[in-house]
Amino acid sequence: MKKLLLTLSAVAVLGLAANAQTEKGKFMVGGQVGFHGSSVKDTDNKNNSLIINPNVGYFVADNIAIGTGIGYEWSKFEQANYPERTESAFVLTPFGRMYSKNDGPVKFFGQLSVPMAWGTQKTDDTKTATTANYGVELAPGIAYFPTSNIGVEFKVRGLFYNNSSVTEESTDTKVTTDMYGLNVNSLAPTVGVTFHF
């Protein structure tokens, strides 16, 4: 009987901790940091990229948060017999997120975000083009709260649309590309950690 009471008490505490993390007036902090590099053996071909995009959200109501991410992206491309090329961009990603209302340490959520980025392309340190990206994404996910301050999240990209443009400096020519789709690959989710306080 003691074991049953202890187990029920532990489940109740975990349930209260998870609910407390998504209550009105709480904050959540997370983000994305990534680095990618590649090189082709026996050549001078190399690519490197870096992204830093911290975000913060505020619960305007129980289980409903709004927030934004502000970050920076950078890429460098080196290829034999071609000039060095770099791309950089300032990134802004406002979002709204709604969690399920269930009790317990696991909650489902949906996130609507509007990723935007503005940047430049350079060849040998000379600006050659400006870039602009605007999009919208509706992504499902699941969050597990092992403690009262930490959430471990699994999210797929979901439904998305992106409009990107590149404007050449020398000719003022603008090329616009639209991308859209549904990407719900449960075998390749993004994994993240958010801190709640």
Side-chain angles (χ1 to χ4, degrees):
M1 185 66 172
K2 277 186 175 179
K3 287 183 182 178
L4 178 61
L5 286 175
L6 285 174
T7 302
L8 290 175
S9 298
V11 169
V13 168
L14 284 174
L16 290 173
N19 287 338
Q21 292 169 337
T22 59
E23 284 180 347
K24 181 179 178 179
K26 299 286 185 177
F27 285 91
M28 65 182 213
V29 177
Q32 176 185 11
V33 175
F35 175 78
H36 173 78
S38 67
S39 62
V40 180
K41 187 175 180 179
D42 299 328
T43 70
D44 292 330
N45 299 349
K46 294 187 287 188
N47 298 331
N48 291 302
S49 61
L50 171 71
I51 182 168
I52 300 172
N53 192 17
N55 62 52
V56 63
Y58 176 74
F59 285 89
V60 294
D62 288 354
N63 300 310
I64 299 175
I66 60 169
T68 192
I70 299 175
Y72 178 75
E73 295 178 351
W74 173 86
S75 298
K76 181 178 181 180
F77 307 92
E78 298 176 70
Q79 194 172 2
N81 302 320
Y82 287 94
E84 180 180 285
R85 190 167 54 96
T86 59
E87 297 178 3
S88 60
F90 169 75
V91 180
L92 181 65
T93 312
F95 67 88
R97 180 181 283 195
M98 180 180 284
Y99 287 88
S100 60
K101 296 179 181 180
N102 62 295
D103 292 333
V106 177
K107 289 192 173 212
F108 294 95
F109 66 85
Q111 178 170 305
L112 178 65
S113 58
V114 184
M116 298 174 275
W118 303 273
T120 60
Q121 294 179 350
K122 292 182 178 181
T123 301
D124 285 338
D125 293 326
T126 301
K127 182 178 173 183
T128 56
T130 57
T131 61
N133 289 289
Y134 302 95
V136 63
E137 294 182 5
L138 182 58
I142 186 170
Y144 169 65
F145 297 99
T147 72
S148 61
N149 293 334
I150 296 176
V152 180
E153 301 177 351
F154 299 90
K155 183 175 69 165
V156 294
R157 186 170 188 189
L159 189 62
F160 67 94
Y161 168 78
N162 186 66
N163 173 279
S164 64
S165 64
V166 178
T167 305
E168 297 292 333
E169 285 286 304
S170 58
T171 62
D172 206 30
T173 305
K174 183 176 182 179
V175 177
T176 302
T177 305
D178 291 319
M179 291 183 2
Y180 48 89
L182 176 64
N183 186 353
V184 188
N185 184 353
S186 62
L187 298 176
T190 59
V191 180
V193 176
T194 56
F195 299 95
H196 294 249
F197 56 94

